[in-house]
Structure formats: C-alpha cells, structure tokens
Amino acid sequence: MAHATGLDLRGILVDVDYVTSGNRSVIRLVLKSNGVAYTLLDYSFRPYFFIVPKSESVTAEQMAGVQLQDSEGAVRAYAVEAVELSLKGSLTKAFKVTVESTREVPRLSELLSEFGERYEYDILFWKRYVIDKRISPLYGVAARAHEGEGELQIDSIGPSDGPVSEILSHLCFDIETYNPLTAPRPDTDPVIMISYTDGKDSAVLTTKNIKRKFVRVLDDEKAMINSFTEHIRKNDYDVISGYNSSNFDIPYLLKRAGATKADFRIGRNDGLPKQEHHGMLEMVKIPGRSNVDVYNVAKFVSIVGASEKVLKASRFTLKEVYAAITGDTKRMVERQNIWQIWDGSDAEREELADYSLADSLALEELYKFFVPLEVEISKIVGTTLSEACISTTGQLVEHLLMRNAFENNEFTPNKPTEREITWRNSNPIEGAYVKTPEAGIYKDIVVFDFRGLYPSIIIAYNIDPSTLVRGAQEGDFHVSPTKARFRKGPIGIVPKVLKIMINERSEIKKAFKKDPDNKVLAARSTALKIIANSFYGYLGYARSRWYSRESAESVTAFGREHITNTIESAEKHGFKVLYADTDSCMVQMNGKTKKEALAFQADVNRSLPSPMELELEDFYTSGVFVGKRGADSKGAKKKYALLSESGRIKIRGFELVRRDWSAISRNTQRAVLETILKEGSKEKAMAIVKEVVKNLREGTVPIKDLSIQTQLRKKIDSYDAKSPELAAVKKAIERKQKIKEDMEGATVNYVITRHGNTISEKSELEEFAKDYDPEYYINHQVIPSTLKILKELGVSEEELKGLGSQKKLF
C-alpha cells in the first residue's frame, strides 16, 4: 500500500467499508490510481437518519435533547437539522438526525420515533456514503487527501471529470482438504493443497514433496496458509476469486488458520475475511478487496438467462460450468478419494497436484467469462463488485433507486413489515394476456414483439409510486385500465431511471454493431437489459421498498390492453392471429405480402405512446403449435416451434428445452419437429420415432443419452415419498460412492435400469448405471414427448407404434 503527504488522486473506487475509531464510525475506501491502491479514511462523514414529525409542534431542540444510556455511556444526536424531502410525491418537512456511530442509529432512531416516523435508518453506512458523495465503485473518482497520524485522510471526494482506466488485478484459487470421513471437518482435517493463478503466475502450495515445476513445498499446513497470505499481500490483488469459496474454501481456511495459528489476514490493511449473511446467501467480506465467488455469479446468470452457454450446464459444479462455457473437459479426481490419493504413491500425489491446479486454471477461464458482466452491473447500479456478485435483481434495482431518490431529493421508503409482506403475498397481481393457439401446422407466419414492453409502459405512462394519485385531485393524468391515475409530470424516479437506461442501451447496441468483438459493450448491453427488465418485478415484489400494487397491476393491465388492441388491428388488416402472449403476437399472412405486414406494424406504432414500439422479429415459413389438454393444461403456455426463412428453428415449451427429460426424448422430439417443419412429412417423422424405439430395444443407445436430470430441493432425509432420483442418491451414499453433504440440494442425473420392480428400485445415478430399461424409455420418455406433437396431426399412440395408415400433411 502506498502512502504520501498531500495527494490529489484520480482513479477508481475498488472497495468501501467503515471502521470504528474510538466512538466514531469512519468510512474507509480503497482507491486505485495509476496501478497503486491507496487506503483513504473520511472522518468528515457521519451516519444519519430522518424523522418525519407527527405534528408541527415538534422541534429540532426537542430531539437534540433526547439521549439514551448504554454500556459505553450516554448517546445523543451529534446534530439535528430541519430539511424538506419528497415523500410519496409531496414535499415533506423532516429532521435529519446525525450521529457519531452506526451502532447508535437503530436505538436512537427507535427512541426518537415517538416524535414521528423514522426513515433511512437501515441503510448501510458505506452505501449511504457512496450515494451522498455521488461516487460509484469502478467508476472514476477524484479525491484530495492529506497524511495525518500515519494515515491518508480525505479532504474532498467526488466523481472524476472524465473516464478513468484502471485494470483490476485478480487471483483465482482453490483448496484441497484431507477427508477420511468423506466430508472434511475443519476442526481436525487439514488443508493439503492450495492452488492459485493470476493469469500469469500459477502454483500449488502443499506439504509433501511432489515433482511438479509448479509445486511449492512448505514445512506444514501453517506455513502453507502463511505463504498463500503472503502471496496475496505481496501482489496486492484487487479481486480474490473462488468457486463456492464463500461457503467452503474461505471459511475452511479461516478455521484452519485458527487451529494452526496461521496468518490468514488476506484483506488490505491486515484485515481478516468476515462471513456475513446477504439475504438467502452466505457472503465473505475481504476488507479492501473484492470477493468474487464465481459459483454465485454462474447461478445468477442462469436465473436471468443472460447466457445460452450457462443454460447448457446441467449442474453448477465447476466441472459442468467449465464444460458448458469452454466446451473442454476439466481434469477430475473423485472428491471422496482425495485422502487416499494423498496417502498413496508419489505418482498419485502428482496427479492430485495436476487436478488442484486445473481447478484454479478452469476458474480463471470462468472468471474472464463472467466478470465483465458483473463489472458493468456494479457500475450501473453503483455498488461494489463484491456486492454485485451476490445480489438478486431486486437488490440491484433497489440500490439504483436509492441513489436516484437521493438525487431527486426523495426519501428512500422503509422496508415493509412482515405483516405487510404477508398481505402482499396473499394478494397476487393479475398477469399478462395469453391467446392460446389452435393446435396444428401453419405456413407463412410473421412474429411481432413489443420492444421492452413493461419498461416502455412504465416510461410512457409515468408509472411510479410517487406519481400515483389517490383521492380527488386536479391535474393531467394517465389513467390505467385498472382506473389508477398517474400524474403526467414531473417524471417519477422509476420511469426516469428506466428511460436513461433504455436510451443508453440503444446507443450501445448501435456501437456494438460497428464493433461486434467489443466484450465491454456486449457486457454493458446485457447488464442494462437485465436491470431494466427487473423494474416491473420489483414494483410488485412483496419485500420491495418501492412496492406499489397499483403501479404493478397497471403495468400488466396496459400490457394486456396493448396486446389485445394489436390482435384486433391485425385481424382488421386481414391477418389471422395464431397466438399472443405478454409482448408478442404471431400471425398467419393469410395471403398478405411482407409489405402489407410491415404496413400493419407501422400502423400499430403510430398509435403507441413513446417509447413503446412494435418490432418485427422475423418471417417464418412454417410453425407447429401444440394444444393443451387434461393434466397438461397446467403446463407452459408457450408450446410451439417455428422455422424461419433463414432456416433457424425457434422452439418454446417443448421438453427438449427442459432438463427433466432424457436426451433421447429431447433429441427425438427435436428431430420430429425439424422434419415436420422442413419437410412436412408425417411419415418421416414417424419413421424417426420407430427407429429410436428399435435402437432402444436393441440396447444400442448410449447410457448418457438416457440420463434424466432433476434437483433435490430438500434435505435428503426430509422427503416423504421415495422418488427415483432420491432412491438413486441414497443407493450411492449407502455404497459410499457419494457424500451425503455433497448431494444435499444437488442437481442429479439418474438412469432407469433393468434391475428392480419399481421405477425407484431401478434408478441409479448415471455414473453407476450399467444398463437401462428400454420399455421405460419407450413408454415414458420417447413416445410421450413425440406424441405431444404427432397427436395434433391425427397420429395415435397405436399408429406411432406401427398400426394404422399414414398420410401426407400438405
């Protein structure tokens, strides 16, 4: 760490937290400037909250005179001043109460609530700081500081007057532990290897002599942990990255450091990692550095659908995600065998070292793939990289709105009480309009989509909790189909922020077309899309600070209105509407030309308020729509396949895009769809199914194509029924082939074998299955998945199995 006297620094904010100095809470920042990280302290900023008085008789002097007594002495306000902020759209008088320490905020605000309602008492101190100072992590920051008492103290800080370029240094690491009882015990089982790479320097630290150039041998476990800590300090990395490291690697190293008296102060300024709860997740705070757990990032990217590559991963293990992203296979050893390998031969330990390093090298590849997106999310939202990597979309939207509330001189609303949350959850909001299709095959289809439907509705109608009008009021309003009214001006912070984001994304997409290899532009565009699409959900989320039932239901009501108007307009123009859902409309050309289709689109757009827009998705030569009957009527509404003029096939709702059907059923279904769409031949489609049935009975289908995937969502011992996946897992645990702790909540792949009477008795994890039950896959996988399509063409199950006549479709 560099220190100097009288500094003017221009760089990026890497991390921000606070420390306690005497009875003061003091903001601490790490600012990276010209490749050097500086630790800065700001003694001038204090925690505060607001009290909105219940009557005009309340004075600042009254509140300033209130004090409470605790173990550290008397606590009273440092300062109380009168302010005016907007509350629910109205300018409201309030008192800003400043204190010396964060520990004083909850108790003093509760005590002062006798004078009125308290606000912003639960905003984290470091978040309060970056919001008030209008600075954002990873963006340019300009600071002036002086040296005092051996530390750099901030005189002033704010956003820089232009872009700043700094490269974040990073270290990817992984540990191996001794595990004779299958599950390692941090109190007794040592760490036997620590591997790491920063993209240039790679090594494995261990305590046994292993003949590999990348291996560094230390005297004992304590020396190994000390060496790892020293390496991090020496290179002063900005980011520490692991895979599931917040749940396992770092907590394990912390406990082993305690047991061996090793030094694991890997944070800047000799800080120890600290475990914290963050919503439903466990996180680890590394003072002065960003902690990026790629496991959490991969799951987030999968949930928001930001990468097709991630969606291909069947499980979120390092091995599976690495294979999905890179297409390569990572070196593996069985986790439960590590202790035996460690106690085995020199050759076996060499293999273990190779495996250990392979983990870090694989993680390095994933880090480079995922982190650009998280960096852009961090910048857009204005939070730290560590925070961005463990936040839900709702938490990201909330932080962004908090920043903008401050800019708009508005109160950040309080969190809802548990009673309010219960009420909100018990009163769901009506969703989107769906026009279900008539099953069959259609030719000459055109698909239109509303661009960013819900965000554009929010902007067009100024939908925001602060613009919502209650009671009789004069003015100019937007009236939603639910009869809710929203002022046309001034613009609320939700539509204001969305408009900025949508306009920025539009410009970025133009730039990206000119520079399609620019990964930063691609990441920025995706990050903006993820966050913008999360605003509607946040308005209706039960735990949202900005929850507004009237706002959320007005968004969906406007959506239903616009899609039904589009359907009516299409029919007036002579098109046949096949299907419509939320923001898309699929119509059959009905003899119309492409020019007429585009004229219809232009006609709709002339009737839409800005920035709403109906876009042309594509023209399709044919499409298959499947009806919903019986038990299937509760399934996905979107169940269709379309063939574009360019030959691209778009599929929605069929089993081939789900993980809980085997590859043989998904692949057969895809082949059937492609044959029907491209050739229009029922005979050829049926022949495909019959060939698969034949191969299954002859035993020539690879076992991997028969694997069925599902997730164990509860503890293994808490299941009442014995499902096939659970039975397969329990067998493997009983045979000591799997560790129970590893399988809790895991996504598992299993195969139905020939051995047993029931399906559960026949199930085995894929890796242990030696054969398969062909009749199960024929009758419960292949035929059901293909018959869903073929029955709409008049094919019965008996005919599919070889009976009945065959006809040409068209």
Side-chain angles (χ1 to χ4, degrees):
M1 299 297 292
H3 288 271
T5 302
L7 281 178
D8 284 309
L9 297 171
R10 190 168 175 271
I12 62 170
L13 184 59
V14 175
D15 189 51
V16 55
D17 60 6
Y18 71 92
V19 294
T20 300
S21 177
N23 66 339
R24 288 285 311 279
S25 294
V26 180
I27 288 290
R28 179 175 63 182
L29 308 112
V30 173
L31 184 68
K32 190 168 188 178
S33 177
N34 295 320
V36 179
Y38 296 85
T39 295
L40 309 175
L41 298 172
D42 195 336
Y43 285 86
S44 66
F45 191 79
R46 290 175 169 81
Y48 66 84
F49 57 91
F50 295 100
I51 296 291
V52 175
K54 56 187 176 184
S55 71
E56 292 188 3
S57 63
V58 176
T59 65
E61 290 74 21
Q62 283 178 305
M63 284 190 286
V66 173
Q67 69 176 33
L68 60 86
Q69 195 75 26
D70 66 12
S71 59
E72 298 183 27
V75 175
R76 60 190 304 168
Y78 173 80
V80 180
E81 59 179 311
V83 296
E84 282 190 329
L85 282 83
S86 180
L87 178 62
K88 298 178 181 178
S90 300
L91 202 60
T92 303
K93 292 181 179 179
F95 293 99
K96 179 181 179 182
V97 182
T98 304
V99 295
E100 294 276 17
S101 170
T102 57
R103 72 175 183 84
E104 299 171 353
V105 172
R107 293 182 62 196
L108 191 57
S109 65
E110 185 177 2
L111 191 63
L112 293 179
S113 63
E114 67 175 283
F115 294 104
E117 189 170 2
R118 55 181 177 163
Y119 283 89
E120 303 194 8
Y121 59 92
D122 56 358
I123 297 177
L124 296 178
F125 189 34
W126 71 264
K127 288 188 177 184
R128 177 83 280 167
Y129 184 82
V130 296
I131 290 171
D132 285 30
K133 294 296 183 180
R134 296 180 170 87
I135 57 178
S136 181
L138 306 186
Y139 264 133
V141 172
R144 178 170 297 169
H146 69 275
E147 189 165 1
E149 299 181 8
E151 58 192 21
L152 285 177
Q153 300 179 11
I154 293 175
D155 298 315
S156 64
I157 190 168
S160 65
D161 55 5
V164 176
S165 179
E166 292 284 345
I167 296 174
L168 291 175
S169 61
H170 70 275
L171 183 76
C172 296
F173 83 101
D174 186 67
I175 69 171
E176 309 303 335
T177 58
Y178 195 73
N179 58 337
L181 296 182
T182 64
R185 302 158 297 174
D187 293 336
T188 58
D189 295 335
V191 175
I192 55 177
M193 286 182 181
I194 304 175
S195 65
Y196 63 76
T197 183
D198 59 13
K200 297 177 182 178
D201 179 27
S202 304
V204 172
L205 307 180
T206 189
T207 57
K208 286 188 178 182
N209 189 27
I210 297 174
K211 294 179 181 179
R212 287 285 192 266
K213 289 183 179 180
F214 55 81
V215 170
R216 291 182 54 211
V217 182
L218 286 306
D219 291 339
D220 52 27
E221 184 185 10
K222 176 181 178 180
M224 182 172 58
I225 296 173
N226 286 344
S227 178
F228 181 58
T229 301
E230 181 183 350
H231 179 78
I232 292 174
R233 288 183 189 168
K234 179 181 176 181
N235 291 276
D236 200 21
Y237 296 106
D238 300 311
V239 182
I240 306 297
S241 181
Y243 201 85
N244 200 30
S245 52
S246 294
N247 286 307
F248 181 73
D249 301 69
I250 295 178
Y252 204 96
L253 283 168
L254 267 171
K255 290 181 179 179
R256 293 309 302 158
T260 62
K261 309 300 181 186
D263 182 2
F264 193 54
R265 292 173 295 165
I266 61 172
R268 282 178 166 134
N269 307 296
D270 294 333
L272 271 172
K274 182 181 178 183
Q275 292 178 270
E276 298 177 354
H277 292 290
H278 191 276
M280 300 294 290
L281 294 178
E282 291 293 324
M283 69 170 289
V284 171
K285 173 71 177 172
I286 304 176
R289 310 189 200 278
S290 293
N291 174 30
V292 175
D293 188 333
V294 175
Y295 171 78
N296 291 332
V297 177
K299 292 199 76 173
F300 172 84
V301 170
S302 176
I303 289 168
V304 299
S307 171
E308 288 295 327
K309 288 184 177 181
V310 179
L311 293 175
K312 292 177 183 177
S314 58
R315 295 177 60 185
F316 287 97
T317 62
L318 177 59
K319 173 188 174 182
E320 293 271 1
V321 176
Y322 176 77
I325 298 300
T326 66
D328 294 332
T329 302
K330 190 185 77 64
R331 181 187 293 270
M332 291 297 297
V333 300
E334 287 296 331
R335 258 195 65 188
Q336 64 267 30
N337 296 333
I338 286 177
W339 70 279
Q340 293 174 318
I341 297 171
W342 180 250
D343 289 340
S345 66
D346 290 345
E348 287 176 310
R349 283 190 289 273
E350 288 170 8
E351 182 183 354
L352 184 60
D354 291 338
Y355 161 74
S356 180
L357 182 61
D359 272 1
S360 287
L361 294 175
L363 178 59
E364 167 77 9
E365 292 298 311
L366 298 185
Y367 177 89
K368 290 188 292 186
F369 179 83
F370 286 113
V371 165
L373 174 63
E374 290 294 347
V375 165
E376 295 307 317
I377 288 175
S378 170
K379 288 179 177 180
I380 292 166
V381 173
T383 192
T384 63
L385 180 59
S386 295
E387 184 89 357
C389 289
I390 44 90
S391 293
T392 64
T393 54
Q395 290 164 340
L396 294 171
V397 169
E398 182 167 285
H399 187 73
L400 185 55
L401 289 177
M402 285 165 58
R403 292 184 72 96
N404 283 272
F406 177 81
E407 295 290 341
N408 276 25
N409 201 40
E410 294 185 18
F411 282 110
T412 289
N414 289 330
K415 291 179 180 179
T417 63
E418 287 301 320
R419 184 175 181 180
E420 288 173 318
I421 293 168
T422 300
W423 182 89
R424 293 172 181 181
N425 281 325
S426 63
N427 290 273
I429 294 164
E430 184 180 354
Y433 170 83
V434 177
K435 174 181 169 60
T436 55
E438 292 184 18
I441 298 178
Y442 299 88
K443 281 188 172 183
D444 300 326
I445 299 167
V446 58
V447 178
F448 297 101
D449 286 310
F450 282 101
R451 178 172 62 91
L453 179 63
Y454 286 171
S456 64
I457 286 174
I458 290 170
I459 296 169
Y461 298 105
N462 200 25
I463 296 176
D464 186 277
S466 68
T467 63
L468 179 65
V469 177
R470 290 184 173 87
Q473 289 188 28
E474 297 290 330
D476 198 6
F477 310 122
H478 294 293
V479 181
S480 87
T482 67
K483 307 306 179 186
R485 295 176 298 159
F486 299 91
R487 288 191 299 273
K488 291 186 175 181
I491 187 170
I493 64 168
V494 171
K496 179 181 179 181
V497 173
L498 276 174
K499 187 173 183 179
I500 293 170
M501 295 177 69
I502 288 173
N503 289 343
E504 181 186 351
R505 185 163 188 256
S506 178
E507 293 302 312
I508 285 175
K509 289 172 75 174
K510 292 177 186 176
F512 187 63
K513 285 183 179 180
K514 298 177 182 178
D515 187 9
D517 295 325
N518 192 315
K519 293 182 179 180
V520 174
L521 288 177
R524 183 80 176 181
S525 178
T526 302
L528 286 165
K529 180 181 179 180
I530 289 169
I531 298 168
N533 287 342
S534 302
F535 272 77
Y536 157 72
Y538 183 71
L539 285 174
Y541 175 49
R543 295 184 179 275
S544 167
R545 290 178 185 267
W546 271 270
Y547 175 88
S548 171
R549 180 181 175 82
E550 296 93 337
S551 297
E553 65 184 2
S554 291
V555 173
T556 55
F558 273 123
R560 292 191 298 272
E561 180 177 81
H562 283 293
I563 198 71
T564 53
N565 288 345
T566 302
I567 291 170
E568 291 174 5
S569 179
E571 291 172 345
K572 287 179 182 178
H573 279 77
F575 298 96
K576 179 181 178 180
V577 179
L578 299 174
Y579 175 69
D581 184 5
T582 310
D583 60 354
S584 65
C585 185
M586 302 181 187
V587 302
Q588 192 171 27
M589 296 290 280
N590 248 12
K592 298 289 183 179
T593 65
K594 289 184 179 180
K595 185 176 179 180
E596 288 175 305
L598 296 176
F600 154 70
Q601 176 194 4
D603 189 37
V604 171
N605 281 330
R606 279 190 291 271
S607 69
L608 295 174
S610 177
M612 291 189 68
E613 181 182 356
L614 186 68
E615 295 182 316
L616 170 69
E617 181 192 282
D618 209 346
F619 289 96
Y620 296 88
T621 59
S622 61
V624 176
F625 291 85
V626 173
K628 295 160 64 57
R629 299 170 182 166
D632 191 44
S633 64
K634 295 182 180 179
K637 294 182 176 68
K638 295 182 180 180
K639 189 165 281 195
Y640 59 85
L642 302 171
L643 176 67
S644 73
E645 292 181 338
S646 64
R648 179 177 63 90
I649 293 179
K650 177 180 179 179
I651 298 171
R652 294 290 183 271
F654 288 109
E655 279 70 22
L656 59 92
V657 295
R658 284 171 43 186
R659 296 176 179 175
D660 56 348
W661 283 70
S662 63
I664 192 69
S665 63
R666 288 183 278 120
N667 293 341
T668 306
Q669 190 184 67
R670 174 179 279 278
V672 166
L673 282 170
E674 289 181 352
T675 299
I676 291 172
L677 289 171
K678 292 180 179 179
E679 302 185 44
S681 172
K682 182 170 70 174
E683 294 95 327
K684 288 185 178 181
M686 293 175 65
I688 289 170
V689 180
K690 291 179 179 180
E691 179 67 18
V692 171
V693 169
K694 175 176 173 288
N695 292 339
L696 280 166
R697 286 183 171 143
E698 291 178 353
T700 60
V701 178
I703 284 181
K704 65 181 179 64
D705 291 344
L706 304 167
S707 178
I708 302 167
Q709 186 180 96
T710 191
Q711 184 178 9
L712 298 178
R713 300 190 179 276
K714 299 189 295 183
K715 295 289 185 182
I716 290 174
D717 294 332
S718 66
Y719 281 86
D720 295 327
K722 192 174 183 180
S723 61
E725 63 271 21
L726 180 65
V729 166
K730 284 190 171 183
K731 289 176 193 175
I733 293 172
E734 288 169 3
R735 295 192 296 254
K736 299 189 181 301
Q737 294 169 315
K738 289 293 179 182
I739 303 168
K740 181 179 178 181
E741 288 75 12
D742 283 354
M743 303 309 294
E744 301 279 11
T747 300
V748 300
N749 289 27
Y750 67 94
V751 173
I752 304 304
T753 70
R754 295 176 180 270
H755 311 289
N757 296 317
T758 67
I759 298 301
S760 292
E761 288 175 0
K762 293 181 176 184
S763 66
E764 285 283 357
L765 293 182
E766 177 192 340
E767 59 200 285
F768 307 124
K770 305 300 182 185
D771 56 36
Y772 62 85
D773 180 354
E775 295 307 313
Y776 170 82
Y777 287 95
I778 292 167
N779 295 313
H780 297 281
Q781 291 272 313
V782 173
I783 287 183
S785 67
T786 53
L787 196 60
K788 289 175 185 294
I789 304 160
L790 293 170
K791 70 182 178 183
E792 306 300 343
L793 311 177
V795 178
S796 67
E797 184 174 348
E798 291 75 19
E799 186 179 3
L800 190 58
K801 289 180 176 179
L803 303 174
S805 61
Q806 301 176 6
K807 300 177 183 178
K808 196 76 175 173
L809 290 175
F810 42 72

